[in-house]
Amino acid sequence: RPSRPEEALPVLEAYLKLVRRYSADETPILSAQSNLANCLNNVGRRDEALVLEREVFARCVATLGVSHEVTILNGGNVVISLNHLELWEESKKLASDQLLPAARRSLGA
């Protein structure tokens, strides 16, 4: 079944608004933001996706800690987006200074 991100985008935007309005828990908000960022990437709106991914990553660091599996995963999304935008140095710095040490600590190496 083919993906149709252009059609999914308004649905994901509406869902994020609902979750922000009605959820007291931050976890579903972060999940909705992450899903929206993925969709934005899929429709080529990479700058907007990066803004959301940075926000999600920062909130994960603040709420879950840098070594949490979900934080590392969302940090990886930021690295991928930085690479898509050819922001090589920033991507390399985030991966080598924060994500890889955190992954080694929490996941073992």
Side-chain angles (χ1 to χ4, degrees):
R1 179 174 173 166
S3 174
R4 301 187 329 228
E6 296 83 7
E7 294 174 26
L9 189 58
V11 174
L12 291 170
E13 290 170 331
Y15 178 70
L16 177 57
K17 286 180 185 177
L18 286 172
V19 172
R20 280 183 170 153
R21 184 172 182 176
Y22 294 110
S23 180
D25 183 10
E26 193 165 18
T27 302
I29 297 169
L30 294 174
S31 177
Q33 285 178 303
S34 183
N35 289 336
L36 179 57
N38 287 334
C39 190
L40 287 167
N41 266 318
N42 289 338
V43 298
R45 293 167 56 182
R46 298 192 189 281
D47 290 325
E48 292 172 73
L50 179 59
V51 169
L52 261 180
E53 288 168 341
R54 287 182 195 273
E55 185 179 329
V56 170
F57 178 62
R59 291 304 310 147
C60 286
V61 169
T63 59
L64 302 172
V66 71
S67 295
H68 193 279
E69 179 180 332
V70 171
T71 304
I72 295 166
L73 176 67
N74 282 290
N77 290 341
V78 175
V79 168
I80 291 167
S81 287
L82 290 169
N83 284 331
H84 283 302
L85 294 169
E86 299 182 5
L87 299 170
W88 315 118
E89 289 305 313
E90 189 176 354
S91 173
K92 182 179 173 183
K93 184 170 176 49
L94 176 60
S96 63
D97 293 355
Q98 290 185 41
L99 297 180
L100 290 175
R104 286 186 185 109
R105 280 191 306 274
S106 65
L107 305 174

XYZ file of all heavy atoms in Angstrom:
843
model
N 0.834 -1.171 0.000
C 0.000 0.000 0.000
C 0.887 1.245 0.000
O 1.727 1.431 0.879
C -0.870 -0.060 1.235
C -1.771 1.095 1.365
C -2.718 0.928 2.518
N -3.403 2.188 2.612
C -4.468 2.392 3.296
N -4.993 1.420 3.987
N -5.031 3.553 3.330
N 0.711 2.152 -0.950
C 1.581 3.324 -1.039
C 1.279 4.341 0.066
O 0.153 4.491 0.525
C 1.266 3.913 -2.408
C -0.057 3.366 -2.781
C -0.214 2.057 -2.054
N 2.324 5.024 0.484
C 2.196 6.077 1.495
C 1.675 7.351 0.842
O 2.020 7.667 -0.294
C 3.576 6.328 2.108
O 3.521 7.408 2.982
N 0.823 8.080 1.546
C 0.278 9.330 1.017
C 0.442 10.429 2.063
O -0.530 10.864 2.694
C -1.174 9.142 0.622
C -1.307 8.045 -0.432
C -2.659 7.846 -1.037
N -3.819 8.112 -0.243
C -4.860 7.286 -0.134
N -4.853 6.140 -0.766
N -5.905 7.603 0.578
N 1.693 10.886 2.261
C 1.964 11.851 3.330
C 1.247 13.186 3.148
O 0.909 13.840 4.132
C 3.482 12.018 3.303
C 3.898 11.580 1.941
C 2.898 10.531 1.521
N 0.987 13.584 1.910
C 0.281 14.849 1.683
C -1.123 14.802 2.290
O -1.621 15.811 2.796
C 0.188 15.188 0.186
C 1.519 15.427 -0.494
C 2.224 14.140 -0.930
O 1.626 13.035 -0.823
O 3.389 14.236 -1.340
N -1.756 13.642 2.219
C -3.083 13.483 2.791
C -3.022 13.297 4.309
O -3.949 13.683 5.032
C -3.794 12.300 2.146
C -4.098 12.516 0.673
C -4.679 11.286 0.003
O -5.292 10.452 0.710
O -4.516 11.158 -1.218
N -1.963 12.702 4.789
C -1.817 12.454 6.222
C -1.484 13.725 6.996
O -1.843 13.849 8.168
C -0.729 11.407 6.456
N -0.813 14.667 6.346
C -0.328 15.859 7.044
C -1.427 16.623 7.786
O -1.280 16.882 8.990
C 0.426 16.761 6.059
C 1.177 17.933 6.664
C 2.201 17.477 7.688
C 1.852 18.722 5.559
N -2.535 16.997 7.156
C -3.560 17.733 7.911
C -4.183 16.907 9.043
O -4.573 17.460 10.074
C -4.605 18.115 6.866
C -4.318 17.305 5.665
C -2.885 16.873 5.742
N -4.237 15.607 8.859
C -4.773 14.740 9.909
C -3.834 14.758 11.116
O -4.280 14.893 12.271
C -4.977 13.300 9.392
C -5.396 12.366 10.514
C -5.972 13.284 8.250
N -2.538 14.643 10.861
C -1.561 14.654 11.947
C -1.503 16.015 12.641
O -1.347 16.089 13.865
C -0.177 14.265 11.419
C -0.048 12.812 10.981
C 1.264 12.585 10.251
C -0.184 11.871 12.164
N -1.659 17.086 11.880
C -1.685 18.426 12.478
C -2.899 18.586 13.388
O -2.791 19.116 14.502
C -1.685 19.496 11.386
C -0.370 19.587 10.657
C -0.412 20.465 9.414
O -1.485 20.585 8.781
O 0.655 21.015 9.069
N -4.055 18.120 12.939
C -5.276 18.198 13.747
C -5.145 17.335 14.999
O -5.561 17.748 16.098
C -6.482 17.768 12.919
N -4.573 16.161 14.841
C -4.390 15.270 15.984
C -3.484 15.907 17.032
O -3.764 15.846 18.236
C -3.831 13.918 15.531
C -3.588 12.974 16.677
C -4.662 12.418 17.375
C -2.305 12.658 17.083
C -4.449 11.561 18.445
C -2.077 11.805 18.158
C -3.155 11.269 18.830
O -2.946 10.432 19.902
N -2.396 16.537 16.586
C -1.487 17.199 17.526
C -2.220 18.292 18.307
O -2.051 18.424 19.519
C -0.271 17.768 16.797
C 0.726 18.541 17.661
C 1.253 17.684 18.813
C 1.866 19.066 16.800
N -3.048 19.069 17.632
C -3.817 20.107 18.323
C -4.728 19.498 19.387
O -4.835 20.021 20.500
C -4.652 20.910 17.320
C -3.831 21.859 16.494
C -4.703 22.617 15.516
C -3.827 23.472 14.613
N -4.610 24.175 13.598
N -5.392 18.401 19.052
C -6.277 17.735 20.009
C -5.511 17.200 21.211
O -5.935 17.365 22.360
C -7.029 16.587 19.335
C -8.154 16.972 18.395
C -8.673 15.750 17.649
C -9.284 17.627 19.190
N -4.391 16.561 20.943
C -3.597 15.985 22.027
C -3.070 17.089 22.938
O -3.095 16.959 24.168
C -2.447 15.116 21.457
C -1.499 14.674 22.545
C -3.000 13.912 20.740
N -2.620 18.180 22.339
C -2.134 19.306 23.159
C -3.258 19.870 24.030
O -3.011 20.278 25.159
C -1.578 20.407 22.266
C -0.190 20.136 21.771
C 0.324 21.287 20.953
N 1.739 21.129 20.661
C 2.332 21.635 19.603
N 1.641 22.344 18.710
N 3.607 21.450 19.405
N -4.441 19.890 23.507
C -5.565 20.466 24.242
C -6.066 19.559 25.364
O -6.419 20.032 26.442
C -6.697 20.761 23.272
C -7.868 21.434 23.922
C -8.877 21.871 22.908
N -9.965 22.559 23.582
C -10.963 23.133 22.972
N -11.021 23.116 21.667
N -11.907 23.718 23.653
N -6.120 18.257 25.111
C -6.797 17.361 26.036
C -5.889 16.436 26.850
O -6.379 15.772 27.757
C -7.829 16.521 25.282
C -8.953 17.353 24.729
C -9.070 17.557 23.358
C -9.879 17.955 25.576
C -10.095 18.336 22.845
C -10.896 18.743 25.071
C -11.008 18.926 23.704
O -12.015 19.708 23.200
N -4.625 16.367 26.541
C -3.758 15.441 27.266
C -2.964 16.168 28.348
O -2.315 17.176 28.082
C -2.788 14.747 26.311
O -1.963 13.868 27.045
N -3.006 15.619 29.552
C -2.194 16.147 30.640
C -0.803 15.523 30.608
O 0.134 16.053 31.196
C -2.868 15.861 31.976
N -0.687 14.409 29.921
C 0.572 13.678 29.829
C 1.348 14.149 28.598
O 0.787 14.288 27.512
C 0.268 12.181 29.732
C 1.511 11.315 29.701
O 2.623 11.828 29.948
O 1.378 10.114 29.423
N 2.626 14.370 28.781
C 3.452 14.864 27.679
C 3.811 13.780 26.660
O 4.076 14.085 25.498
C 4.731 15.497 28.237
C 5.471 16.302 27.219
C 6.516 17.198 27.836
O 6.910 16.993 28.984
O 6.953 18.118 27.124
N 3.770 12.526 27.047
C 4.178 11.436 26.154
C 3.389 11.404 24.847
O 3.996 11.336 23.769
C 4.100 10.086 26.887
O 4.927 10.144 28.044
C 4.563 8.959 25.992
N 2.055 11.468 24.865
C 1.340 11.457 23.585
C 1.586 12.706 22.750
O 1.558 12.643 21.521
C -0.133 11.346 23.972
C -0.220 11.423 25.435
C 1.151 11.387 26.005
N 1.879 13.803 23.405
C 2.196 15.033 22.660
C 3.508 14.855 21.912
O 3.609 15.173 20.723
C 2.248 16.252 23.603
C 0.876 16.493 24.230
C 2.745 17.493 22.861
C 0.870 17.501 25.359
N 4.515 14.329 22.610
C 5.814 14.098 21.969
C 5.692 13.099 20.824
O 6.307 13.271 19.769
C 6.834 13.615 23.001
C 7.217 14.621 24.077
C 8.111 13.970 25.126
C 7.891 15.838 23.465
N 4.889 12.077 21.023
C 4.672 11.083 19.971
C 3.994 11.718 18.757
O 4.397 11.473 17.613
C 3.830 9.932 20.520
O 3.563 8.999 19.518
N 2.976 12.538 18.992
C 2.276 13.207 17.892
C 3.198 14.173 17.162
O 3.163 14.267 15.931
C 1.042 13.936 18.421
N 4.031 14.879 17.900
C 4.990 15.794 17.268
C 5.993 15.023 16.420
O 6.336 15.449 15.315
C 5.735 16.609 18.322
C 4.935 17.702 18.947
C 5.728 18.430 20.005
O 6.220 17.826 20.960
N 5.861 19.728 19.837
N 6.465 13.912 16.935
C 7.422 13.092 16.200
C 6.808 12.550 14.912
O 7.435 12.574 13.844
C 7.909 11.946 17.089
O 8.881 11.188 16.439
N 5.563 12.081 14.991
C 4.869 11.594 13.800
C 4.675 12.708 12.774
O 4.864 12.502 11.563
C 3.521 10.990 14.172
C 3.659 9.685 14.903
O 4.654 8.988 14.785
N 2.652 9.348 15.687
N 4.325 13.887 13.250
C 4.153 15.034 12.350
C 5.482 15.405 11.698
O 5.544 15.680 10.495
C 3.564 16.220 13.111
C 3.360 17.498 12.310
C 2.473 17.273 11.092
C 2.767 18.589 13.211
N 6.559 15.399 12.469
C 7.885 15.703 11.916
C 8.263 14.704 10.825
O 8.787 15.090 9.773
C 8.933 15.716 13.022
N 7.986 13.418 11.061
C 8.271 12.405 10.039
C 7.489 12.686 8.764
O 8.020 12.569 7.649
C 7.944 11.007 10.563
C 8.930 10.520 11.582
O 10.077 10.939 11.605
N 8.483 9.635 12.452
N 6.232 13.067 8.918
C 5.396 13.369 7.754
C 5.920 14.610 7.025
O 5.972 14.634 5.793
C 3.947 13.553 8.185
S 2.795 13.638 6.813
N 6.305 15.625 7.778
C 6.870 16.833 7.162
C 8.113 16.491 6.345
O 8.309 17.009 5.241
C 7.201 17.880 8.232
C 6.006 18.579 8.870
C 6.436 19.345 10.115
C 5.319 19.505 7.871
N 8.947 15.616 6.886
C 10.120 15.159 6.129
C 9.697 14.468 4.839
O 10.286 14.682 3.785
C 10.968 14.207 6.980
C 12.073 14.909 7.706
O 12.735 15.785 7.154
N 12.260 14.548 8.952
N 8.662 13.645 4.934
C 8.208 12.896 3.760
C 7.633 13.776 2.660
O 7.627 13.373 1.494
C 7.180 11.841 4.168
C 7.800 10.706 4.940
O 8.992 10.449 4.855
N 6.995 10.021 5.732
N 7.126 14.953 3.011
C 6.612 15.864 1.986
C 7.645 16.930 1.605
O 7.333 17.861 0.867
C 5.267 16.529 2.393
C 4.190 15.493 2.586
C 5.419 17.415 3.610
N 8.873 16.788 2.124
C 9.950 17.685 1.737
C 10.042 18.972 2.534
O 10.812 19.855 2.183
N 9.302 19.086 3.606
C 9.352 20.288 4.455
C 10.334 20.043 5.599
O 9.998 20.006 6.767
C 7.947 20.634 4.938
C 7.057 21.084 3.779
C 5.593 21.141 4.095
N 5.241 21.972 5.236
C 3.989 22.115 5.687
N 2.981 21.515 5.068
N 3.740 22.859 6.742
N 11.586 19.877 5.199
C 12.631 19.425 6.116
C 12.993 20.447 7.192
O 13.302 20.059 8.321
C 13.865 19.002 5.335
C 13.574 17.824 4.411
C 14.845 17.216 3.870
N 14.603 16.232 2.841
C 14.217 14.983 3.080
N 13.998 14.584 4.305
N 14.040 14.139 2.080
N 12.961 21.733 6.868
C 13.267 22.751 7.875
C 12.246 22.726 9.004
O 12.604 22.801 10.182
C 13.309 24.153 7.246
C 14.509 24.350 6.341
O 15.584 23.791 6.648
O 14.377 25.063 5.334
N 10.976 22.617 8.650
C 9.914 22.553 9.657
C 10.029 21.272 10.482
O 9.801 21.287 11.699
C 8.543 22.599 8.992
C 8.215 23.918 8.338
C 6.925 23.823 7.546
O 5.857 23.773 8.188
O 7.002 23.785 6.299
N 10.367 20.188 9.825
C 10.532 18.915 10.529
C 11.653 19.024 11.554
O 11.507 18.560 12.690
C 10.824 17.798 9.528
N 12.754 19.654 11.168
C 13.891 19.788 12.078
C 13.509 20.592 13.320
O 13.898 20.241 14.436
C 15.086 20.418 11.362
C 16.337 20.625 12.215
C 16.842 19.309 12.797
C 17.421 21.315 11.394
N 12.736 21.646 13.150
C 12.295 22.453 14.299
C 11.518 21.576 15.283
O 11.773 21.597 16.494
C 11.447 23.660 13.837
C 10.776 24.345 15.013
C 12.305 24.648 13.059
N 10.575 20.801 14.762
C 9.785 19.911 15.625
C 10.658 18.831 16.261
O 10.512 18.524 17.449
C 8.688 19.237 14.803
C 7.301 19.819 14.878
C 6.331 19.023 14.010
C 6.791 19.912 16.277
N 11.558 18.250 15.496
C 12.424 17.195 16.019
C 13.316 17.718 17.136
O 13.530 17.026 18.141
C 13.268 16.584 14.903
C 12.451 15.730 13.980
C 13.177 15.340 12.717
O 14.180 15.988 12.352
O 12.716 14.385 12.066
N 13.813 18.933 16.972
C 14.629 19.529 18.035
C 13.804 19.723 19.306
O 14.288 19.489 20.414
C 15.193 20.880 17.586
C 16.309 20.813 16.580
C 16.766 22.253 16.306
N 17.576 22.412 15.138
C 18.901 22.278 15.096
N 19.553 21.941 16.191
N 19.553 22.475 13.977
N 12.571 20.171 19.134
C 11.688 20.378 20.279
C 11.417 19.058 21.002
O 11.489 18.984 22.235
C 10.379 21.010 19.812
C 9.440 21.374 20.933
C 8.162 22.023 20.443
O 8.182 22.718 19.397
O 7.138 21.831 21.109
N 11.106 18.027 20.234
C 10.843 16.712 20.822
C 12.089 16.207 21.549
O 11.997 15.731 22.696
C 10.380 15.697 19.748
C 10.339 14.280 20.304
C 9.029 16.101 19.184
N 13.232 16.311 20.924
C 14.472 15.845 21.544
C 14.754 16.604 22.841
O 15.076 15.990 23.868
C 15.640 15.992 20.556
C 16.974 15.584 21.124
C 17.193 14.285 21.550
C 18.009 16.495 21.217
C 18.422 13.897 22.073
C 19.242 16.121 21.732
C 19.449 14.826 22.164
N 14.603 17.910 22.822
C 14.848 18.716 24.025
C 13.902 18.320 25.156
O 14.314 18.213 26.322
C 14.712 20.201 23.704
N 12.632 18.095 24.834
C 11.659 17.685 25.857
C 11.973 16.288 26.379
O 11.808 16.018 27.567
C 10.229 17.732 25.323
C 9.694 19.108 25.054
C 9.733 20.056 26.252
N 9.155 19.460 27.459
C 9.570 19.704 28.695
N 10.570 20.521 28.922
N 8.991 19.124 29.727
N 12.421 15.404 25.507
C 12.802 14.059 25.946
C 14.001 14.121 26.888
O 14.017 13.439 27.925
C 13.122 13.165 24.748
S 11.688 12.627 23.815
N 14.986 14.936 26.548
C 16.149 15.100 27.429
C 15.688 15.610 28.791
O 16.104 15.102 29.834
C 17.193 16.051 26.806
C 18.263 16.426 27.821
C 17.830 15.414 25.574
N 14.805 16.604 28.786
C 14.348 17.212 30.037
C 13.484 16.264 30.866
O 13.581 16.271 32.102
C 13.568 18.493 29.735
N 12.659 15.455 30.223
C 11.721 14.625 30.975
C 12.202 13.192 31.203
O 11.909 12.612 32.238
C 10.340 14.571 30.280
O 10.492 14.053 28.968
C 9.697 15.938 30.229
N 12.922 12.651 30.249
C 13.346 11.251 30.342
C 14.825 11.082 30.658
O 15.243 10.027 31.119
C 13.034 10.514 29.031
C 11.577 10.501 28.582
C 11.457 9.922 27.185
C 10.725 9.731 29.576
N 15.609 12.106 30.348
C 17.054 12.016 30.511
C 17.727 11.661 29.205
O 17.131 11.044 28.324
N 18.974 12.058 29.076
C 19.704 11.897 27.821
C 19.970 10.431 27.475
O 20.109 10.077 26.305
C 21.015 12.716 27.834
C 22.046 12.113 28.763
C 21.584 12.876 26.440
N 20.012 9.557 28.467
C 20.348 8.154 28.213
C 19.131 7.262 27.990
O 19.287 6.058 27.810
C 21.178 7.599 29.378
O 22.422 8.265 29.440
N 17.947 7.840 28.003
C 16.740 7.033 27.772
C 16.653 6.631 26.303
O 16.995 7.399 25.405
C 15.496 7.825 28.186
C 14.265 6.995 28.278
N 13.524 6.643 27.176
C 13.654 6.435 29.353
C 12.498 5.904 27.559
N 12.544 5.766 28.878
N 16.186 5.423 26.072
C 16.076 4.872 24.714
C 15.264 5.782 23.787
O 15.645 6.005 22.631
C 15.423 3.496 24.823
C 15.209 2.780 23.543
C 14.555 1.422 23.778
O 14.725 0.820 24.847
O 13.864 0.973 22.858
N 14.156 6.323 24.258
C 13.302 7.200 23.439
C 14.038 8.500 23.117
O 13.938 9.015 21.999
C 11.956 7.469 24.157
C 11.152 8.534 23.439
C 11.168 6.180 24.285
N 14.797 9.015 24.071
C 15.576 10.236 23.836
C 16.625 9.994 22.757
O 16.792 10.818 21.848
C 16.250 10.698 25.141
O 15.258 10.874 26.142
C 17.014 11.994 24.935
N 17.315 8.888 22.856
C 18.352 8.558 21.872
C 17.739 8.395 20.481
O 18.272 8.904 19.493
C 19.124 7.291 22.301
C 19.896 7.574 23.598
C 20.069 6.819 21.198
C 20.412 6.336 24.291
N 16.604 7.730 20.415
C 15.909 7.551 19.132
C 15.534 8.904 18.521
O 15.759 9.146 17.337
C 14.667 6.691 19.330
C 13.778 6.487 18.110
C 14.503 5.670 17.057
C 12.486 5.815 18.513
N 14.973 9.791 19.340
C 14.590 11.110 18.825
C 15.796 11.964 18.484
O 15.752 12.750 17.539
C 13.657 11.812 19.817
C 12.255 11.265 19.724
O 11.556 11.486 18.747
N 11.836 10.512 20.727
N 16.886 11.797 19.209
C 18.128 12.472 18.845
C 18.635 11.985 17.498
O 19.140 12.763 16.689
N 18.468 10.689 17.245
C 18.833 10.140 15.939
C 18.018 10.756 14.817
O 18.536 11.001 13.719
N 16.744 11.045 15.079
C 15.917 11.724 14.077
C 16.479 13.111 13.755
O 16.480 13.526 12.595
C 14.468 11.836 14.559
C 13.751 10.516 14.588
O 14.154 9.553 13.948
N 12.676 10.458 15.352
N 16.946 13.808 14.792
C 17.544 15.127 14.570
C 18.794 14.993 13.710
O 18.989 15.755 12.756
C 17.874 15.831 15.909
C 18.613 17.145 15.669
C 16.605 16.076 16.723
N 19.627 14.013 14.020
C 20.860 13.792 13.247
C 20.534 13.517 11.781
O 21.163 14.082 10.870
C 21.687 12.634 13.862
C 22.800 12.193 12.920
C 22.262 13.056 15.201
N 19.552 12.682 11.525
C 19.168 12.373 10.147
C 18.693 13.627 9.422
O 19.080 13.882 8.282
C 18.086 11.266 10.123
C 18.693 9.937 10.570
C 17.456 11.139 8.735
C 17.670 8.865 10.883
N 17.878 14.431 10.090
C 17.394 15.667 9.465
C 18.527 16.648 9.205
O 18.559 17.307 8.162
C 16.321 16.326 10.337
O 15.129 15.587 10.263
N 19.450 16.746 10.134
C 20.615 17.616 9.915
C 21.399 17.148 8.696
O 21.860 17.967 7.893
C 21.505 17.634 11.160
C 20.939 18.356 12.379
C 21.791 18.055 13.617
C 20.858 19.858 12.137
N 21.537 15.832 8.544
C 22.229 15.296 7.364
C 21.476 15.626 6.083
O 22.089 16.008 5.078
C 22.426 13.789 7.490
C 23.537 13.430 8.428
O 24.490 14.179 8.603
N 23.431 12.286 9.062
N 20.139 15.489 6.099
C 19.341 15.831 4.914
C 19.542 17.294 4.517
O 19.522 17.624 3.327
C 17.853 15.590 5.162
C 17.444 14.161 5.113
N 17.634 13.348 4.026
C 16.834 13.386 6.047
C 17.173 12.148 4.285
N 16.687 12.134 5.498
N 19.713 18.148 5.513
C 19.898 19.584 5.259
C 21.369 19.954 5.070
O 21.713 21.127 4.984
C 19.279 20.397 6.404
C 17.761 20.276 6.511
C 17.266 20.884 7.818
C 17.082 20.930 5.323
N 22.222 18.928 5.031
C 23.660 19.084 4.818
C 24.331 19.929 5.896
O 25.289 20.661 5.642
C 23.951 19.634 3.410
C 23.450 18.704 2.320
C 23.744 19.181 0.917
O 24.424 20.210 0.748
O 23.278 18.506 -0.020
N 23.840 19.805 7.108
C 24.430 20.464 8.269
C 25.342 19.444 8.962
O 25.098 18.981 10.067
C 23.334 20.991 9.200
C 22.412 22.026 8.566
C 21.206 22.312 9.455
C 23.176 23.312 8.259
N 26.412 19.107 8.255
C 27.273 17.989 8.629
C 27.912 18.161 9.999
O 27.924 17.226 10.796
C 28.363 17.766 7.581
C 27.892 17.793 6.165
C 28.276 18.662 5.189
C 26.947 16.912 5.543
N 27.630 18.377 4.017
C 26.809 17.307 4.195
C 26.194 15.832 5.997
C 25.968 16.663 3.304
C 25.355 15.191 5.115
C 25.247 15.602 3.779
N 28.491 19.327 10.261
C 29.209 19.533 11.518
C 28.284 19.427 12.721
O 28.626 18.814 13.722
C 29.948 20.876 11.511
C 31.149 20.906 10.585
C 32.149 19.791 10.871
O 32.499 19.574 12.055
O 32.576 19.122 9.913
N 27.116 20.039 12.628
C 26.160 19.973 13.726
C 25.684 18.535 13.938
O 25.540 18.071 15.080
C 24.981 20.901 13.457
C 24.058 21.043 14.635
C 22.939 22.042 14.406
O 22.926 22.736 13.362
O 22.065 22.112 15.282
N 25.465 17.838 12.842
C 25.039 16.448 12.914
C 26.107 15.595 13.599
O 25.803 14.813 14.511
C 24.767 15.926 11.505
O 24.516 14.554 11.524
N 27.324 15.758 13.164
C 28.436 14.990 13.722
C 28.621 15.297 15.206
O 28.821 14.392 16.017
C 29.718 15.309 12.949
C 30.927 14.553 13.405
C 32.135 14.920 12.569
C 33.386 14.295 13.115
N 34.567 14.702 12.351
N 28.507 16.564 15.562
C 28.684 16.969 16.962
C 27.599 16.361 17.851
O 27.898 15.831 18.925
C 28.684 18.493 17.065
C 28.944 19.028 18.451
C 29.173 20.519 18.421
C 29.352 21.124 19.791
N 30.295 20.468 20.651
N 26.351 16.433 17.428
C 25.267 15.860 18.218
C 25.455 14.355 18.384
O 25.333 13.821 19.491
C 23.910 16.154 17.572
C 22.684 15.521 18.237
C 22.535 15.981 19.680
C 21.435 15.837 17.437
N 25.773 13.690 17.284
C 25.937 12.232 17.344
C 27.117 11.837 18.223
O 26.978 10.982 19.111
C 26.108 11.663 15.939
N 28.259 12.458 18.012
C 29.460 12.018 18.731
C 29.539 12.540 20.154
O 30.048 11.843 21.038
C 30.717 12.405 17.951
O 30.823 13.804 17.831
N 29.031 13.739 20.413
C 29.141 14.316 21.757
C 28.015 13.903 22.700
O 28.213 13.836 23.910
C 29.174 15.853 21.697
C 30.431 16.387 21.041
O 31.336 15.591 20.714
O 30.503 17.618 20.850
N 26.818 13.651 22.167
C 25.689 13.345 23.039
C 25.115 11.946 22.836
O 24.961 11.199 23.797
C 24.565 14.371 22.821
C 24.910 15.750 23.333
C 23.727 16.692 23.198
O 22.601 16.304 23.464
N 23.985 17.909 22.783
N 24.778 11.619 21.604
C 24.026 10.389 21.378
C 24.856 9.119 21.565
O 24.409 8.176 22.221
C 23.392 10.397 19.993
C 22.364 11.487 19.755
C 21.800 11.399 18.349
C 21.255 11.432 20.783
N 26.030 9.068 20.980
C 26.839 7.852 21.105
C 27.254 7.587 22.550
O 27.113 6.449 23.018
C 28.044 7.911 20.177
C 27.702 7.790 18.689
C 28.936 7.980 17.838
C 27.035 6.464 18.389
N 27.722 8.593 23.304
C 28.034 8.321 24.714
C 26.807 7.875 25.515
O 26.896 6.962 26.340
C 28.575 9.657 25.237
C 29.096 10.362 24.027
C 28.167 9.939 22.911
N 25.664 8.498 25.247
C 24.439 8.120 25.953
C 24.037 6.685 25.607
O 23.638 5.910 26.486
C 23.307 9.089 25.612
N 24.152 6.339 24.339
C 23.796 4.983 23.916
C 24.737 3.954 24.539
O 24.285 2.890 24.980
C 23.837 4.888 22.387
N 26.000 4.288 24.597
C 26.954 3.353 25.215
C 26.646 3.142 26.694
O 26.723 2.028 27.201
C 28.382 3.872 25.039
C 28.901 3.710 23.638
C 30.378 4.099 23.530
N 30.792 4.041 22.150
C 31.078 5.090 21.392
N 31.013 6.306 21.905
N 31.440 4.939 20.152
N 26.304 4.235 27.383
C 25.978 4.133 28.808
C 24.718 3.308 29.048
O 24.666 2.451 29.913
C 25.782 5.530 29.420
C 27.035 6.262 29.777
C 26.740 7.502 30.625
N 25.768 8.408 30.022
C 26.044 9.363 29.141
N 27.295 9.520 28.730
N 25.100 10.150 28.670
N 23.693 3.590 28.282
C 22.402 2.971 28.583
C 22.182 1.629 27.890
O 21.496 0.766 28.416
C 21.261 3.924 28.225
O 21.217 4.155 26.849
N 22.735 1.469 26.701
C 22.487 0.250 25.937
C 23.659 -0.714 25.986
O 23.549 -1.848 25.536
C 22.152 0.601 24.480
C 20.991 1.580 24.293
C 20.845 1.955 22.829
C 19.699 1.004 24.835
N 24.801 -0.244 26.486
C 25.982 -1.088 26.581
C 26.794 -1.067 25.302
O 26.263 -0.919 24.216
N 28.093 -1.155 25.468
C 28.978 -1.168 24.294
C 30.254 -1.908 24.609
O 30.630 -2.119 25.702
C 29.320 0.240 23.859
